[in-house]
Amino acid sequence: MTLSPYYEPELETLSQRQLKALQSERLQHIVRYVYDNNAQYRQRFDSAGMEPNDIHGIDDLGLLPLMSKEQLRDNYPLGLSCVDKKTLVEMHMSSGSTGVPVVMPYTRGDLEQWASCMSRCYRMAGVEPSDVIQITPSFGLFNGGFGFYHGAQNLDLFVVPTGAGHTRRQISLARDFKTHALTGVVSYATRILEQLEATGETLPDLKVCMFGAEIFSNSMKEKVCSGLGVEAFDIYGMTETGGVGTLGMDCSAHDGLHVWEDHYLIEILDPKTQQPVADGEMGELVVTALTREALPVIRFRTADLTRIVSRQPCQCGRTHVRIAPITGRLDDMLIVKGVNFFPVQVEQALMSIPGVRPHYQIIIEDDHGVKDVRVNVEVDEGVTGFMVERVLKEALGFSPKGDVFKPGELPRQEGKAQRVFYSQK
Ligand code: DLL
């Protein structure tokens, strides 16, 4: 018997009208809820000159003040929690580049909401009960490991909880337990692929990869898919929204990420004016959590850049809005020699060169305020620095300096890969 491709068919295929009505009702509720249960929210709404009764539906969203990562950091550990600490059952945390933590506490209801979002993602990737799923992010403060786990438990999948690292052991477990789906951080897939290529082994049972947590170019995705012989899904979420999978994933049409709009209201705003951009235009994703209990973010500025792909129903039958894969973060944009670019553009150009490996570094050299960029990349024999430089010049409009390295020469990291480094002269 083939299972339904949906986990919650009715909710995933609501008509636009039904969806808007549900979102409006939930928005009114959540705004009243945070106002009544947390003094910080109350104060911020009061300062913005609004009160919960002003919100009649999603068209009034713009009346609510925007929320920044700093606010979450300033309220470490539980200053923005809307529930009694006794009702909390779990927490996750991200430290980001500044090291000041952002904490997300969970009630039992929040864990169930997370598991439902994740279950939708698994179903969308065609993963079925008793399929073997290998979870490669760490089981710890990072939400990745536990998020994949909660969803998998909810669907009765067979979990191989390898956690991070130990690539050789990951491969032997995947082979011995016939892993069907591999989940984790994008750059870890490249580590597994590298190891397989070095030994000539294959993982014939592996059919699906669910990867996210990092911005990745299409060409990187193609390399991973063809190398591992899998279909890769781009899964999206963040600590502030409740973790991996909460915001959505692409379906096998791979035409944008389906946002779980009954749980999260999204806006795409111009980062400068903070006004909505037209559909199709790039902007900052701003998220309101409609169904979380412990810490529902309201108009949270994610700093992630994306655009609306379509509001029309997808060929998979789901009706929620689709957004483009994340192309950059506001704080990621590099400016060198008067040219603005995102690291993913360098990756896209590098990965389009046959024989270039998915391991690279972008080094921003600062010589008394004058910036230059150096790109180091691993390549197979026969690929020269000149070939790399030519492609980068074409893509970026200027020639970065750089060196080519043999496979395995650049350092590897566990977890999210650091691609950009800064050096002072
Ligand atoms: O990275 C959640 C996650 C874990 C997603 C495992 C997918 C797989 P944080 O550590 O809080 O949570 O980082 C969130 O990572 O704002 C994006 O900038 C980036 N990010 C997450 N998913 C994607 C994705 C997890 N699919 C931050 N594509 C977000 C691009 C992503 N960037």
Side-chain angles (χ1 to χ4, degrees), residues 59 94 108 115 120 243 257 262 303 358 365 383 403:
D59 295 335
S94 76
R108 176 68 52 202
R120 290 184 189 183
L257 315 187
D262 50 329
E365 297 172 335
V383 181
D403 290 306

Side-chain angles (χ1 to χ4, degrees), residues 69 93-96 102 114 137 142-145 148 183-186 210-216 233-248 257 300 302-305 325-329 331-332 416:
K69 214 184 234 313
M93 190 172 104
S94 76
S95 308
V102 167
W114 195 8
F142 176 51
N143 64 73
F148 283 115
T183 65
V185 173
V186 178
M210 290 163 74
F211 281 112
E214 291 174 326
I215 288 151
F216 57 129
F233 294 87
D234 184 348
I235 187 161
Y236 182 43
M238 60 192 69
T239 309
E240 295 85 348
T241 58
V244 54
T246 48
L247 286 178
L257 315 187
F300 172 66
T302 65
D304 287 340
L305 296 168
I326 306 305
T327 40
R329 287 185 53 81
D331 38 18
D332 260 4
K416 300 193 192 208

